[in-house]
Every structure is written in structure tokens, then in C-alpha cells.
């Protein structure tokens, strides 16, 4: 049967060719962009890095895979977000139960994230992660949860017979190690050519005729091509790679989120992996930073990782395009059929004191704590969590948590050694828990392929040891000998970093952020081996206690939009600065409108802007929305007190744009005092795109 598959799938687009389907497959996608103004971005932990518009919309991409008899299924979701979180998964499960009963549960739903650092934050249920958003942001959480539900609903409704193919390749020049001095302490480094994973693992999903349904790939690289000065919502390099692949498969110009082919660029063991491939340099002198400490003159602030591009947009585009091109190549040539059962295992794992044996010695993990080096940040975002000192402003959130910082016990200090504890989060429970004690662990199986969702950021070598251990366990327990294991990072719970024991001893950022102590990685390996054994032998994994659902006790930071206004004689949607008459390729159209706060309505599954093209029949056709790479929607108050604001829309015209007449519109909602927001819109003058001589 192998040759039949080869004939059917070696071409990218359909070759009419029907053969029996091994699985039922469905893919779905939905907008999760959320509050594109005045909300802290999740990732860099930078106070003051607030959303102020949209470059790329964010999406939830869902895949439901069931066996051909429709007996067992799982749903894998990849979010354009910084991380999966306990609050997201718990809220999603509540809603899924209401819609589908017991079809989708904690056990067979995995919610992973791409790790973009350019999305609205505040959706995690533990205090530490809501510090820089000054509290919980329920708006961010709700949009993500609703979008996941819509994407799963779409995947569920589109479930159809189909086949899955595996491919694996190597992608060079798209990632480097940002903590090589820690990696070097790993005694097993000699087994590997590179100090980051270059492997690019891909699943291709097609229907019975061989038409593409979707694709998931896993490649380890941080979503930090856009740096901590950015305020435009963006999916970063993986979000743009998804955009490129979906445009390619659904047709250029398809409105993002509306095509049937869904392409997820999922995250893997990215802990010490940066997309800023030129390395880290001192911003003042241009010289390389201190190798061991990533400092310039003893201080971390000026040491920055530099992307391959001339600015962060070009760097994002370069790293995205490399992933897209590799994905397309591997998708086009995928020929190894995935065959065998669909299955899963899941368990909540209490990490406060997980005891196990390493080389005949009993060791254990510790209640969570963050080390001092965590506060130094990384070369992707120096000085993360640098609190503003001597800040005297009042804030309800910080009033409550102030003075609650905990003195770690002697036992805790010993347990985390050599980490020097900065925040004893595992013993801090006011106003609620500061970090996760119980994490969500899981394995999803489709045939010989096993996805290992993990609750955080495994470093390169941690991931390698973990995959080896799981792979060996599966094979030893009778799993097919062609087994493949991939790590799905940042899934279900966020429990920070996971370094090797040796990297931990160096206590760079990743080691300082390995929160359950030096044996964290080996504890995970010990536990996942048990689950892998259960999966391979058909035994159930014992059920354990779920973590607390803290969504109802969250303390939000109030940031209501009171009212919007515009200058006397103007209206919402009026043009402030109009377009020019004509433009050539490589020029940028800019138009500015009087606007309202984007938080009045997120325009979910819609847009704040359109670029329209005049058709020969005299009708206008939408050519671009705010979800395209070549448009940017930027929003700012002219003055906070008056409530006046301007939306600046730009469109970069490239050589593929046909000559003709175009216009740009802006859509939004404005808030009258004491009333609910009302829609408005406005349109630029018509302009021409001309072919340059
Ligand atoms: C598969 O089973 C589920 C739940 O039993 C059901 O809702 C669904 O309609 C079935 N789908 C197909 C394609 O048979
Ligand atoms: C989309 O555009 C790219 C270049 O911008 C081109 O290579 C590709 O073939 C186009 N795809 C389709 C389906 O038209
Ligand atoms: C980094 O630290 C190691 C010791 O851990 C030392 O041997 C090495 O010389 C240092 N490298 C640099 C470039 O300072
Ligand atoms: C972020 O990137 C921009 C270029 O796009 C650059 O001007 C700026 O210095 C960078 N900032 C940091 C903190 O890296
Ligand atoms: C951790 O568990 C071990 C046994 O598994 C026990 O001996 C030890 O007292 C526990 N430590 C704490 C701090 O609870
Ligand atoms: C804190 O700020 C106050 C004034 O706002 C100033 O008087 C004081 O010196 C500052 N203290 C430090 C340690 O910076
Ligand atoms: C697991 O084992 C199989 C078969 O020996 C091998 O092909 C695969 O590359 C291994 N590694 C992973 C990460 O799956
Ligand atoms: C992919 O290939 C690499 C070698 O390039 C190998 O080490 C790795 O185990 C493979 N991954 C999987 C999931 O098969
Ligand atoms: C648009 O017109 C203004 C003023 O006429 C001019 O300064 C600007 O360069 C023009 N922009 C483009 C992209 O042609
Ligand atoms: C536009 O820019 C691209 C890339 O810089 C260049 O190759 C092309 O020649 C330019 N086109 C025009 C019309 O200027
Ligand atoms: C999203 O928008 C598309 C196109 O306008 C529409 O067909 C679809 O029903 C919308 N989805 C939801 C859930 O509103
Ligand atoms: C734009 O606003 C006008 C009212 O000012 C309304 O009649 C029209 O339907 C709106 N257009 C769109 C596309 O929303």
C-alpha cells in the first residue's frame, strides 16, 4: 500500500485519487485578537508595553483527529498567544462540556501557544504573570476562550475521512542559542551537531481525494522577533508563517481566518532558543555582550539580541519566511503515512514535592520559586520584571499584594540551591497563588506519532533528553518501532522554564526561571515515562486532583473607556490626513481618521480597516483587512483627558498589487458618556496605484 500513498500525495494540490481513509480529520480557525489598545503585552513583562493597534490578527487554530471508526478523538489547538494557561483550559473545558457533553475533556484537549510576545496579556490565573498588566485582564481571557471554542466547533463540524502524513527536516539559520554558556555544561552535548534543535517536524492532513485540510508543524524558536518596544498586536514569526502558508494554500488575498486550509506553526522546546540570529550586542558600543553574563559593563539593560533584518519587522518576516518555506517543502514531499490508533493520556502533576529515584538516589522537586537571574531578563528582553523603583502611584492590585512577599524557609533555600531565591512564589498565596503548584501533563497519540504537550519552556537539551526517554519507553513497551515523539511547548499550564540539571547549576535566566528546583526536568521525565508506558500498554493513567480554578477570585485592574470625543466640527470616521492621488510599488499609503477606542469593540472576526479595489463592474471589493502583513492599524489618543483619538492606517504597496483605483476605510465604535458604544466608519479619497515606468 506504500506506493499508492506515494502516488496520491507527492503533488501539493489534488491529484484525483481515492483510497481508504485512516482517520477522521477536521480543522478550524478563529480570531482571538482581543483588546488592541492600552493593555499590557504578554511576554516581555514590560510595564508600559501596551497594545496600540494591529499588525497581524491573532488566531486560534484547532485540529480534531479521530480514528476512522469515530471511537476516540483528540483536539490539538495552537494559539497565536504567549502561552497556554490553566485559566484558559479550565474555561474552555466548561464551555465544551456545555456544548458537547463528555466528548472533549481535560484528557483529550491540548491548548498550546506559539509564544508571540506581541499579544494582549493578563489572562493567566497566577499573580506573578499579572504583575505588569497591573492585575487580571478578563477581556483578554474571554476573547481567547471564545475563539478557541469557535475554532474547535469549526474543526468538529468539518470532521471528514482523511489521511495524515509525517515528515521531518532540518531548518538552518532560523534560530540560535541565547544561553550557550549554560548549554556548554551539558555532558551529552557531544552527541549533537548544534546547540539548538534544527529539526522541523510536520503532519500533513488531507481528505480522501488528497485535498489539503491542514498542517501542524513544530519548530523550536522564541516569538521574540518583534521586540519590547512594539505595541502593534502581532503573531510574530510563527503567526506570519501561518499567514503565508494559509495564503499560499487558500489563494493569495483570501481574508485571513476565512480559508478552509489551516496551518499551525506550533511551538516546541524553545527555552534557550532565540530568533535573533545575529547574536547579542551592546546597544551603546556595538560590541558583543559579556558571554557568561550577557552584560555590557556589568549591566544587563543594554545587551540586546539582534535579528537578521534591518528592523524588527524585517527580522520577523525573514524568520517567518524560512519556517514557511521549510513547511511548504516538507508538506509537498510528506510521504510517510501515519497509521494506527488514536489515544491519549493526561494527568495533573503536583510539583511541590515530587519524589523519584535518579541513579539509586531519591530526590525531589520543591515548591516554586524564581531566582535572582530571572529578574535580569534575557537578551531578547533585558531586565524583564524590572519594577519601577520608588513608584508612589496608588493601584488597588498592588495595594493588596504589597508587603506580602515571602521570606523563603531554610528548607526551600536548600531545595532550590544553587538558585538564589528572589520570589518564593510557591509559598505565596495572597491574594491568591503566585505560581502553579499543579501542572497539566499529557500525551496525544495518532498512530506511530506522539505529541507530548508540556507545561512550559523546555530548553534544547532538556527537550532532547525528554524525547529520547519517552521514545525509548514507548518502544520498550511494544509501541511501533517507527515511533516519533514531538514536544508541544507552552501547553495547558504555564510553569515557566525547564533546564537540565547542569544548566540549572549555571543559573542564567532559564535556570533562574526553572521553578521547581534542580530536579525539575528529571521529575517531568520520570512522570512522562510512566504515562508513555501506560499509553503503549493500554493502561489508564491514574486520575489526580485538578488545580484550583482561580478565575472567579481574580482582581482585575479597572480600565473602563469612559467616553470618546472628536474636535469641534468633526465626526468619528472623518479623515484627518488624506491619501495622495497616486502611488507606485514600494510606496506606502497613509491615511488618518478621527477614531474611538479600539476596546469599545474588538471587531472580532472582522476588521478595523479595509483596502478596497474598484472592480470593472463599478463595485468595490475588499482587497486587504487589518489581518494582512502589508497593512498596519495604529491607534493613539491625541490627549487622554479630552478622549480624542486618531487611527493611522498604512498600506505598503508591493509589486504584486495590480494597478487600479483603491480606497481605504476605517471601522470602529465610539463610546458616548454613560451609553453603550456606537459604530462609525469613514473612507479616504480614491487613489490610484500605477505601474512604475
Ligand atoms: C462522531 O461521533 C460523535 C460523538 O459520538 C458525533 O457527534 C459525530 O457526529 C460523529 N461524527 C461522524 C463524522 O461520524
Ligand atoms: C501567491 O503569491 C506568491 C507570490 O507572492 C506566489 O508565489 C504564489 O504562487 C501565489 N499563490 C497562488 C495560489 O496564487
Ligand atoms: C565563562 O565562564 C567560564 C567558567 O564558568 C570560564 O571558563 C570562561 O572563560 C568564561 N568565558 C568568558 C568569555 O568569559
Ligand atoms: C526594537 O527594534 C527597533 C527596530 O525595529 C529598534 O529601533 C529598537 O532599538 C529595538 N529596541 C530594542 C529594545 O531592542
Ligand atoms: C517530600 O516527600 C517525601 C517523601 O516522598 C517526604 O519524606 C518529605 O518529608 C516531603 N517533603 C516535604 C517538604 O513535604
Ligand atoms: C523616591 O522618590 C522620592 C520623591 O518622589 C525622593 O524624594 C526619594 O529620594 C526617592 N528615593 C529613592 C531611593 O530613589
Ligand atoms: C524515536 O525513535 C524512532 C525509531 O527509532 C526514530 O525514528 C525517531 O527519530 C526517534 N526520535 C524521536 C524524537 O521521535
Ligand atoms: C527528525 O530528524 C532528526 C535528525 O535530523 C532526528 O534527530 C529526530 O529524532 C527526528 N524527529 C522525529 C520526531 O522523528
Ligand atoms: C504624498 O504627498 C505629500 C505631500 O504632497 C508628499 O510629501 C509625500 O511624499 C507623498 N507621499 C507619497 C508616498 O507619495
Ligand atoms: C521594490 O523593492 C524591491 C525590493 O527592495 C525591488 O526589488 C524592486 O525593484 C522595487 N520595485 C520598484 C518598482 O521600485
Ligand atoms: C465570521 O465571519 C465570516 C465571514 O464574514 C462569517 O461567514 C462567519 O459566520 C463568522 N463567524 C462567526 C462565528 O460569527
Ligand atoms: C457606515 O456608517 C453609515 C452611517 O454613518 C452606515 O449607514 C453604513 O452602513 C456604515 N457602513 C458600513 C460598511 O458599516
Amino acid at each position: 500500500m506504500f506506493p499508492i500513498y506515494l502516488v496520491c500525495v507527492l503533488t501539493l494540490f489534488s491529484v484525483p485519487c481515492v483510497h481508504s481513509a485512516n482517520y477522521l480529520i477536521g480543522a478550524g480557525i478563529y480570531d482571538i485578537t482581543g483588546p488592541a489598545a492600552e493593555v499590557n503585552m504578554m511576554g516581555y513583562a514590560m510595564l508600559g508595553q501596551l497594545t496600540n493597534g494591529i499588525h497581524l490578527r491573532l488566531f486560534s487554530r484547532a485540529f480534531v483527529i479521530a480514528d476512522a471508526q469515530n471511537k476516540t478523538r483528540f483536539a490539538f489547538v495552537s494559539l497565536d498567544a504567549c502561552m497556554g494557561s490553566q485559566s484558559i483550559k479550565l474555561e474552555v473545558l466548561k464551555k465544551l462540556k456545555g456544548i458537547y457533553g463528555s466528548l472533549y475533556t481535560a484528557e483529550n484537549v491540548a491548548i498550546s501557544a506559539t509564544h508571540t510576545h506581541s499579544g494582549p496579556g493578563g489572562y493567566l490565573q497566577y499573580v506573578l504573570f499579572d504583575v505588569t498588566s497591573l492585575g487580571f485582564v478578563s477581556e483578554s481571557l474571554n476573547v481567547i476562550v471564545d475563539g478557541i471554542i469557535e475554532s474547535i466547533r469549526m474543526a468538529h463540524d468539518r470532521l471528514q475521512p482523511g489521511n495524515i502524513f509525517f515528515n521531518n527536516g532540518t531548518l538552518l539559520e532560523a534560530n540560535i542559542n541565547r544561553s550557550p554558556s549554560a548549554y556548554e555544561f551539558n555532558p551529552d552535548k557531544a552527541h549533537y551537531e548544534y546547540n539548538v534543535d534544527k529539526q522541523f517536524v510536520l503532519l500533513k492532513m488531507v481528505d480522501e481525494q488528497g485535498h489539503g485540510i491542514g498542517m501542524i508543524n513544530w519548530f523550536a524558536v522564541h516569538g521574540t522577533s518583534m521586540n519590547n518596544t512594539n505595541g502593534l498586536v502581532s503573531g510574530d514569526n510563527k503567526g506570519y508563517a501561518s499567514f503565508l502558508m494559509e495564503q499560499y494554500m487558500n489563494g493569495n488575498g483570501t481574508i485571513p481566518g476565512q480559508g478552509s486550509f489551516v496551518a499551525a506553526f506550533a511551538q516546541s522546546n524553545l527555552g534557550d532558543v532565540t530568533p535573533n540570529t545575529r547574536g547579542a550586542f551592546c546597544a551603546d558600543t556595538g560590541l558583543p555582550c559579556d558571554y557568561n553574563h550577557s552584560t555590557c559593563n556589568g549591566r544587563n539593560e543594554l545587551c540586546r539580541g539582534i535579528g537578521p533584518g534591518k528592523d524588527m519587522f524585517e527580522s520577523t518576516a525573514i524568520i517567518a519566511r524560512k519556517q514557511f518555506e521549510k513547511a511548504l517543502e516538507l508538506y509537498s514531499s510528506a510521504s510517510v503515512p501515519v497509521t494506527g490508533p488514536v489515544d491519549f493520556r493526561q494527568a495533573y502533576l503536583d510539583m511541590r514535592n515530587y519524589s523519584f529515584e535518579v541513579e539509586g538516589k531519591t530526590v525531589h522537586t520543591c515548591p516554586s520559586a524564581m531566582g535572582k537571574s530571572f529578574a535580569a531578563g534575557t537578551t531578547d528582553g533585558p531586565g524583564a520584571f524590572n519594577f519601577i523603583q520608588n513608584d508612589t502611584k496608588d493601584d488597588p492590585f498592588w495595594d493588596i499584594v504589597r508587603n506580602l512577599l515571602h521570606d523563603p524557609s531554610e528548607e526551600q533555600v536548600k531545595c532550590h540551591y544553587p538558585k538564589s531565591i528572589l520570589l518564593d512564589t510557591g509559598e505565596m498565596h495572597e491574594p491568591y497563588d503566585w505560581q502553579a503548584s499543579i501542572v497539566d501533563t499529557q500525551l496525544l497519540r495518532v498512530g506511530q506519532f506522539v505529541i507530548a504537550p508540556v507545561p512550559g519552556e523546555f530548553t534544547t537539551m532538556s527537550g532532547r533528553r525528554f524525547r529520547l526517554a519517552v521514545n525509548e519507553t514507548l518502544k520498550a513497551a511494544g509501541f511501533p518501532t517507527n515511533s516519533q515523539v514531538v514536544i508541544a511547548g507552552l501547553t495547558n499550564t504555564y510553569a515557566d522554564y525547564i533546564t537540565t540539571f547542569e544548566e540549572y547549576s549555571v543559573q542564567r535566566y532559564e535556570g533562574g526561571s526553572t521553578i521547581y528546583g534542580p530536579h525539575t526536568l528529571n521529575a517531568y521525565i520520570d512522570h512522562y515515562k510512566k504515562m508513555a508506558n501506560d499509553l503503549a500498554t493500554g493502561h489508564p493513567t491514574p486520575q489526580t486532583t485538578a488545580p484550583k480554578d482561580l478565575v472567579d477570585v481574580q482582581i482585575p485592574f479597572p480600565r473602563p473607556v469612559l467616553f470618546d470625543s472628536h474636535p469641534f466640527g468633526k465626526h468619528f470616521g472623518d479623515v484627518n490626513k488624506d491619501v495622495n492621488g497616486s502611488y507606485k510599488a514600494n510606496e506606502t499609503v497613509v491615511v488618518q481618521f478621527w477614531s474611538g477606542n479600539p476596546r469599545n469593540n474588538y471587531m472580532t472576526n472582522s476588521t478595523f480597516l479595509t483596502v478596497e479595489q474598484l472592480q470593472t463592474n463599478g463595485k468595490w471589493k475588499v482587497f486587504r483587512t487589518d489581518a494582512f502583513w502589508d497593512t498596519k492599524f495604529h491607534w493613539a489618543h491625541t490627549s487622554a483627558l479630552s478622549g480624542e483619538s486618531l487611527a493611522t492606517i498604512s498600506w505598503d504597496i508591493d509589486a504584486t498589487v495590480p494597478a487600479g483605483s483603491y480606497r481605504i476605510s476605517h471601522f470602529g465604535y465610539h463610546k458616548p458618556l454613560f451609553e453603550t458604544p456606537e459604530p462609525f466608519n469613514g473612507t479616504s479619497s480614491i487613489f490610484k496605484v500605477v505601474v512604475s515606468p
Side-chain angles (χ1 to χ4, degrees):
M1 86 181 185
F2 193 64
I4 300 176
Y5 280 106
L6 276 180
V7 171
C8 297
V9 300
L10 272 179
T11 55
L12 181 54
F13 297 106
S14 67
V15 167
C17 153
V18 181
H19 51 71
S20 68
N22 285 325
Y23 298 104
L24 299 172
I25 308 163
I29 179 168
Y30 202 75
D31 187 0
I32 56 165
T33 302
E38 303 173 317
V39 169
N40 191 244
M41 283 184 160
M42 187 69 211
Y44 289 115
M46 274 265 292
L47 274 166
Q49 192 199 1
L50 306 180
T51 54
N52 62 14
I54 296 174
H55 184 206
L56 295 173
R57 271 193 184 261
L58 308 178
F59 292 97
S60 167
R61 295 178 171 85
F63 302 84
V64 173
I65 296 176
D67 57 290
Q69 293 73 42
N70 193 19
K71 285 207 190 77
T72 312
R73 64 175 61 198
F74 66 74
F76 181 82
V77 178
S78 177
L79 305 175
D80 286 329
C82 199
M83 61 271 291
S85 84
Q86 201 64 71
S87 44
I88 291 176
K89 183 155 176 184
L90 292 172
E91 292 302 298
V92 164
L93 290 177
K94 281 185 219 163
K95 294 206 170 185
L96 286 175
K97 193 170 180 194
I99 304 170
Y100 300 108
S102 59
L103 197 54
Y104 299 102
T105 64
E107 290 160 69
N108 69 349
V109 174
I111 302 172
S112 191
T114 62
H115 209 40
T116 172
H117 280 43
S118 293
Y123 52 82
L124 274 73
Q125 69 169 1
Y126 300 108
V127 174
L128 183 65
F129 309 108
D130 294 339
V131 164
T132 49
S133 53
L134 309 176
F136 186 68
V137 185
S138 54
E139 297 90 332
S140 297
L141 177 71
N142 294 342
V143 174
I144 293 172
V145 169
D146 291 348
I148 293 169
I149 296 294
E150 280 311 319
S151 64
I152 291 179
R153 193 199 295 272
M154 204 182 271
H156 175 97
D157 290 347
R158 291 180 183 173
L159 206 66
Q160 58 171 315
N163 283 296
I164 303 176
F165 298 89
F166 166 84
N167 210 351
N168 179 14
T170 300
L171 176 57
L172 302 177
E173 290 165 18
N175 60 1
I176 64 167
N177 196 307
R178 69 182 187 190
S179 289
S181 61
Y183 177 91
E184 276 161 20
F185 278 74
N186 292 313
D188 42 351
K189 66 179 179 197
H191 301 319
Y192 301 93
E193 188 176 357
Y194 299 103
N195 64 4
V196 292
D197 272 338
K198 304 292 185 184
Q199 70 166 35
F200 198 103
V201 176
L202 180 139
L203 288 184
K204 167 180 183 166
M205 296 169 235
V206 297
D207 69 13
E208 277 180 304
Q209 281 74 43
H211 295 122
I213 293 174
M215 174 217 64
I216 315 174
N217 67 63
W218 290 267
F219 177 71
V221 66
H222 255 72
T224 48
S225 289
M226 298 299 287
N227 69 34
N228 63 15
T229 64
N230 172 49
L232 298 180
V233 172
S234 168
D236 207 277
N237 59 64
K238 285 184 182 286
Y240 184 38
S242 283
F243 170 91
L244 289 169
M245 184 82 179
E246 285 164 358
Q247 286 288 298
Y248 191 93
M249 298 301 292
N250 293 320
N252 291 327
T254 305
I255 311 270
Q258 313 255 314
S260 70
F261 188 90
V262 180
F265 285 71
Q267 195 50 269
S268 198
N269 50 324
L270 79 172
D272 49 359
V273 188
T274 174
N276 294 314
T277 50
R278 277 200 269 158
F281 297 89
C282 298
D284 51 351
T285 61
L287 296 171
C289 311
D290 174 85
Y291 181 70
N292 282 325
H293 306 102
S294 295
T295 50
C296 302
N297 255 327
R299 299 183 54 85
N300 66 58
E301 286 89 341
L302 292 177
C303 174
R304 291 175 196 163
I306 310 289
K310 66 177 188 299
D311 59 27
M312 58 181 159
F313 293 99
E314 195 182 80
S315 295
T316 303
I318 292 169
I319 301 300
R321 209 163 265 288
K322 283 179 190 290
Q323 290 178 79
F324 158 63
E325 281 163 7
K326 181 55 65 177
L328 188 56
E329 174 200 324
L330 293 176
Y331 182 88
S332 311
S333 61
S335 61
V336 177
V338 174
T339 59
V342 172
D343 205 353
F344 47 81
R345 290 294 181 278
Q346 185 261 356
Y348 292 114
L349 185 64
D350 192 330
M351 288 298 282
R352 282 172 291 194
N353 182 20
Y354 181 87
S355 295
F356 61 105
E357 288 208 350
V358 185
E359 287 154 11
K361 214 176 110 217
T362 302
V363 294
H364 62 92
T365 57
C366 341
S368 67
M370 303 298 285
K372 297 223 168 92
S373 50
F374 145 78
T378 72
T379 52
D380 287 336
F385 277 97
N386 255 352
F387 302 129
I388 294 172
Q389 291 188 53
N390 204 355
D391 187 353
T392 51
K393 282 200 298 288
D394 278 335
D395 171 333
F397 183 73
W398 277 107
D399 282 354
I400 294 170
V401 298
R402 191 170 55 200
N403 300 330
L404 291 173
L405 299 186
H406 194 270
D407 234 0
S409 65
E410 212 174 294
E411 198 178 351
Q412 177 76 331
V413 170
K414 232 171 86 193
C415 191
H416 280 273
Y417 185 82
K419 180 193 285 167
S420 168
I421 296 175
L422 173 70
L423 291 170
D424 190 18
T425 55
E427 298 183 329
M428 286 155 67
H429 310 291
E430 302 295 337
Y432 36 90
D433 292 354
W434 276 61
Q435 257 176 322
S437 300
I438 296 174
V439 301
D440 191 326
T441 64
Q442 200 175 30
L443 291 172
L444 306 174
R445 171 186 189 179
V446 52
Q448 75 273 27
F449 191 78
V450 173
I451 303 169
V454 297
E457 311 184 44
F458 277 56
T459 59
T460 301
M461 191 58 90
S462 298
R464 286 170 175 168
R465 290 185 196 168
F466 176 96
R467 284 194 306 254
L468 264 178
V470 172
N471 208 11
E472 291 310 313
T473 304
L474 290 170
K475 282 187 279 188
F479 212 72
T481 51
N482 61 344
S483 60
Q484 268 107 20
V485 182
V486 73
I487 289 175
L490 297 150
T491 305
N492 297 329
T493 309
Y494 185 63
D496 299 73
Y497 285 77
I498 298 93
T499 62
T500 66
F501 182 84
E502 295 82 5
E503 290 162 356
Y504 185 91
S505 73
V506 182
Q507 285 290 304
R508 276 181 60 93
Y509 174 82
E510 294 82 11
S513 307
T514 293
I515 64 177
Y516 304 115
H519 303 295
T520 303
L521 169 64
N522 284 328
Y524 280 128
I525 289 178
D526 187 74
H527 168 75
Y528 273 83
K529 275 167 72 175
K530 289 182 195 158
M531 281 204 304
N533 193 63
D534 293 338
L535 184 71
T537 57
H539 287 92
T541 289
Q543 274 313 297
T544 41
T545 313
K548 283 181 277 187
D549 183 347
L550 299 174
V551 168
D552 294 337
V553 302
Q554 295 292 317
I555 300 167
F557 181 74
R559 46 170 83 67
V561 180
L562 293 179
F563 67 96
D564 290 295
S565 68
H566 51 69
F568 184 74
K570 300 284 181 194
H571 304 91
F572 293 106
D574 278 359
V575 171
N576 183 47
K577 278 190 198 138
D578 208 351
V579 296
N580 290 359
S582 78
Y583 297 85
K584 300 193 288 286
N586 292 351
E587 289 182 341
T588 298
V589 189
V590 181
V591 53
Q592 198 171 59
F593 299 90
W594 290 104
S595 191
N597 194 311
R599 286 192 293 114
N600 292 327
N601 186 311
Y602 308 146
M603 308 303 273
T604 302
N605 195 33
S606 181
T607 181
F608 284 102
L609 71 92
T610 56
V611 176
E612 289 173 296
Q613 184 188 41
L614 187 61
Q615 309 292 289
T616 45
N617 64 7
K619 292 213 166 85
W620 290 97
K621 179 176 170 242
V622 174
F623 188 72
R624 294 287 187 258
T625 64
D626 62 11
F628 283 81
W629 176 262
D630 52 11
T631 60
K632 293 190 189 78
F633 163 65
H634 181 268
W635 178 86
H637 273 301
T638 56
S639 123
L641 290 178
S642 73
E644 285 175 12
S645 65
L646 286 165
T648 307
I649 293 169
S650 63
W651 177 38
D652 299 327
I653 300 171
D654 68 32
T656 67
V657 173
S661 295
Y662 294 81
R663 66 180 187 187
I664 292 175
S665 297
H666 171 42
F667 305 87
Y669 281 70
H670 69 89
K671 169 108 178 40
L673 195 60
F674 308 127
E675 288 170 45
T676 52
E678 292 168 3
F680 69 85
N681 62 67
T683 300
S684 73
S685 298
I686 298 170
F687 57 93
K688 290 212 157 19
V689 171
V690 297
V691 180
S692 31

